[in-house]
């Protein structure tokens, strides 16, 4: 285990060392304008962590931190420490599949957490059961929905339940929580492993609107996107969280074609490594990427 841990630490070190600015999104002018402001404000950073085949999204505003999903393994703890995370305002798990909740038991065991939000379905696997054990042991509240928005100073994070929450048997993917992150005019939407049924439900409920950044649902699979979904959300940037050489065939080539229309910028964690969206107080943003990590 010692060699595995040092490997993780080396990887995490490289991740930060290699972080390089690669481009500016269309709102660059706003970012430059805000830089002239007299009131310094912490940048909002949304890190789509490269955790292989899975999701882990770290949202930071200075020392205020929210984690959405935790990838498959306990190495997420070392990655969080590398980002100087000491506590979490909230931990959110989109749904109970291992590629999202696998590392969450270690996070819940190791970090002070203000609240834990989940879809409320039975754990269904060993990792999810471990999370429940550690939540009780560490007295971390797990309130039921509806949840008030999580406010990190001027950043608002709204967590909404599955559009199929009242359906008799939505499958676990379609029971994913949605997460909307807003600062100034900036909006980003995280969609877990939602599939067409859940996305259509959110559209019908009028919950989602235009966003700047969209996390592709279900690792860029064909059942996670429709032309109607992109017509409504109108993202400028799409991020696909996906592992290199995964056995699922993610991302689907046809889905990729959808995402790449209208000159959208599409980033993939298997190719680009950890992808960071940095947002200023008025909502200007830029994208940076760390480069792929050898596994
Ligand atoms: Zn998944």
């Amino acid at each position: 285990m010692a060699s595995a841990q040092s490997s993780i630490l080396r990887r995490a070190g490289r991740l930060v060392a290699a972080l390089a600015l690669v481009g500016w999104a269309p709102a660059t002018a706003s970012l430059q304008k805000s830089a002239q402001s007299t009131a310094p404000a912490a940048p909002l950073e949304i890190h789509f962590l490269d955790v292989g085949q899975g999701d882990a999204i770290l949202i930071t505003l200075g020392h205020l931190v929210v984690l959405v999903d935790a990838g498959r393994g306990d190495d997420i703890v070392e990655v969080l420490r590398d980002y100087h995370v000491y506590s979490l305002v909230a931990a959110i798990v989109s749904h109970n599949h291992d590629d999202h909740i696998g590392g969450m038991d270690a996070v819940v065991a190791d970090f002070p957490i203000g609240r834990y939000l989940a879809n409320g379905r039975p754990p269904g696997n060993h990792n999810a059961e471990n999370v429940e054990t550690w939540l009780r042991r560490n007295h971390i509240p797990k309130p039921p929905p509806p949840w008030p928005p999580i406010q990190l100073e001027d950043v608002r994070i709204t967590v909404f339940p599955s559009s199929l929450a009242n359906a008799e048997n939505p499958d676990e993917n379609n029971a994913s929580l949605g997460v909307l992150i807003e600062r100034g005019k900036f909006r980003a939407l995280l969609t877990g492993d939602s599939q067409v049924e859940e996305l259509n439900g959110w559209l019908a409920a009028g919950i989602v609107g235009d966003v700047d950044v969209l996390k592709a649902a279900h690792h860029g699979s064909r059942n996670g996107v429709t032309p109607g979904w992109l017509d409504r959300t109108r993202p400028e940037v799409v991020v696909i969280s996906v592992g290199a050489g995964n056995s699922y065939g993610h991302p689907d080539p046809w889905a990729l074609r959808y995402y790449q229309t209208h000159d959208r910028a599409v980033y993939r964690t298997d190719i680009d490594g950890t992808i960071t969206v940095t947002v200023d107080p008025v909502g200007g943003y830029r994208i940076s990427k760390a480069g792929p990590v050898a596994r």
Side-chain angles (χ1 to χ4, degrees):
M1 285 309 288
S3 64
Q5 280 187 345
S6 8
S7 165
I8 290 161
L9 288 170
R10 280 197 305 275
R11 270 175 22 214
R14 282 200 300 272
L15 184 150
V16 168
L19 192 64
L21 186 68
V22 295
W24 291 85
T28 301
S30 300
L31 184 60
Q32 290 169 335
K33 185 178 173 185
S34 80
Q36 297 164 1
S37 158
T38 52
L44 164 67
E45 293 184 324
I46 307 170
H47 306 279
F48 295 86
L49 300 173
D50 176 10
V51 291
Q53 180 66 16
D55 274 12
I57 299 105
L58 180 66
I59 304 165
T60 64
L61 184 79
H63 66 285
L64 302 174
V65 179
V66 171
L67 179 68
V68 182
D69 290 335
R72 285 183 182 276
D74 293 356
D75 53 350
I76 185 71
V77 168
E78 295 299 335
V79 174
L80 294 185
R81 295 204 189 287
D82 193 65
Y83 279 90
H84 306 291
V85 172
Y86 301 104
S87 64
L88 300 170
V89 173
I92 301 161
V93 67
S94 63
H95 65 298
N96 288 332
H97 283 161
D98 279 339
D99 56 326
H100 299 253
I101 203 171
M104 195 59 91
D105 56 342
V107 173
V108 173
D110 284 14
F111 291 88
I113 298 174
R115 74 199 94 158
Y116 181 82
L117 308 184
N119 68 6
R121 289 163 59 83
N125 61 53
H126 182 65
N127 286 316
E129 287 167 2
N130 273 351
V131 168
E132 296 299 319
T133 300
W134 279 108
L135 287 173
R136 285 192 297 273
R137 197 172 290 175
N138 289 348
H139 307 288
I140 297 169
K142 182 186 174 186
W147 302 290
I150 299 165
Q151 202 73 40
L152 309 180
E153 298 181 359
D154 61 340
V155 175
R156 185 164 73 167
I157 300 173
T158 306
V159 183
F160 44 95
S162 167
S163 62
L164 304 178
N166 295 322
E168 208 157 288
N169 287 307
D171 65 33
E172 191 62 28
N173 285 340
N174 273 323
S176 292
L177 301 181
V179 178
L180 179 67
I181 307 159
E182 298 173 279
R183 187 183 209 193
K185 63 186 181 184
F186 174 85
R187 302 173 92 229
L189 180 63
L190 314 180
T191 52
D193 279 358
S194 308
Q195 298 175 3
V196 170
E197 297 83 355
E198 179 169 25
L199 301 179
N200 285 344
W202 282 334
L203 289 178
I207 291 175
V208 298
D210 288 17
V211 298
D212 300 286
V213 175
L214 174 70
K215 188 198 82 77
H218 199 195
H219 316 289
S221 76
R222 178 69 182 85
N223 60 17
V225 63
T226 64
W229 175 248
L230 293 179
D231 284 348
R232 186 68 195 91
T233 54
R234 301 172 60 86
E236 295 171 342
V237 173
V238 172
V239 176
I240 304 175
S241 188
V242 67
N246 69 83
S247 59
Y248 305 98
H250 296 156
D252 174 82
W254 194 259
L256 261 183
R257 260 176 247 144
Y258 279 154
Y259 289 128
Q260 288 167 337
T261 57
H262 299 292
D263 294 324
R264 280 185 206 96
V266 177
Y267 295 90
R268 303 168 44 165
T269 55
D270 59 337
I271 293 174
D272 301 313
T274 290
I275 296 150
T276 298
V277 183
T278 304
V279 185
D280 76 7
V282 295
Y285 68 99
R286 59 186 168 88
I287 311 289
S288 57
K289 57 185 185 180
V293 175
R295 287 190 163 84

